[in-house]
Amino acid sequence: MLQETITRDQALTRWQDYVVPQCWESFTDEDHAVWDLLFARQVELLGSRVVSPFLDGIDLLRLSHPGVPDVEGLNAILEPRTGWRTVAVPGLVPDEIFFAMLSERIFPVGNFIRTRQQLDYLEAPDCFHDMFGHIPMLAHHDFAEMTQQIGRLGVAAIAADEGPRAARLYWHSVEFGLAREHGELKILGAGLASSFGEAHFSLESEEVERLPFSVERAVHTPYRHDAFQPRYLVSQSLEQTIRDILDLTPERLLAL
Ligand SMILES: [Fe+2]
């Protein structure tokens, strides 16, 4: 117990070490043009194939404004609404740092954007994935609460040497989850919402499995981070995912 407390405290004090200035003024005209291109084609591709709070978030956060968003401008809208704040990071952060950030309503966004030559291939998530994919749903009060809960669960799971349980739960909900909305299958996860290739694939391919979402199944279902997912978990609704994860305690996560 003592050791768990120490580990958690260390993680919570270290996440600040990964934060860098966004240096918004360093983005070039070409960078801004790449954002505009990605934004325009993704909004058109998604249409209404994504849960509706995502589209509400895009409007609320004014993500259609041309160019790469600056984190201060986003935070000026996001923080008063749900208490979430974005910070810039230079690339992927370790899981323990990521979950510690989420547990404090901090979302890390890459301080770089892909090139025009790499529109559909990413070695590490860039600011288009992070800002377009993730931030709109963090303007939704209950989803915001749920994401913080995943952070807390992740911190506890890592302290118990069971980090992959929390990583799989996160992956099958926040990143690659699907959910029904008024009976229709919709994209929920940021990895799908921000992907040109996988958005339609996840909804329409006949080659993948789509299994009902439960926290138990999510915790035990492996995933791919280097290819399209071979299976997606489908919630009865966005609200079901939120309820199930908010009801999950660290003790139950570790016992599932
Ligand atoms: Fe992501």
Side-chain angles (χ1 to χ4, degrees), residues 13 22 69 94 160 164 171 187 189 202 235 249 252:
T13 53
Q22 186 194 24
W171 194 269
I187 288 166
S202 66
S235 286
T249 61
R252 197 166 146 250

Side-chain angles (χ1 to χ4, degrees), residues 230-247:
R231 64 189 65 80
Y232 299 96
L233 302 193
V234 183
S235 286
Q236 288 165 23
S237 65
L238 167 63
E239 291 73 23
Q240 186 219 341
T241 302
I242 292 169
R243 230 177 7 252
D244 287 355
I245 292 177
L246 286 178
D247 283 348

Side-chain angles (χ1 to χ4, degrees), residues 174-204:
V174 173
E175 285 290 353
F176 287 90
L178 297 174
R180 296 206 173 271
E181 190 175 78
H182 308 302
E184 278 185 62
L185 190 61
K186 304 270 184 175
I187 288 166
L188 170 60
L192 299 175
S194 63
S195 167
F196 192 69
E198 198 166 355
H200 276 220
F201 177 84
S202 66
L203 294 175
E204 289 149 23

Side-chain angles (χ1 to χ4, degrees), residues 11 27 34 41 45 49 52 56 85 93-94 105 132 142 149 154 156 162 167-169 199 201 205 212 238 244 253 255:
F27 286 104
V34 167
R41 74 171 193 166
L45 177 84
R49 290 179 172 88
S52 51
D56 297 341
R85 210 155 52 82
V93 298
R105 298 202 180 212
F132 180 89
D142 294 340
Q149 172 72 355
E162 289 284 357
R168 291 192 288 263
L169 178 65
F201 177 84
S205 170
L238 167 63
D244 287 355
L253 173 68

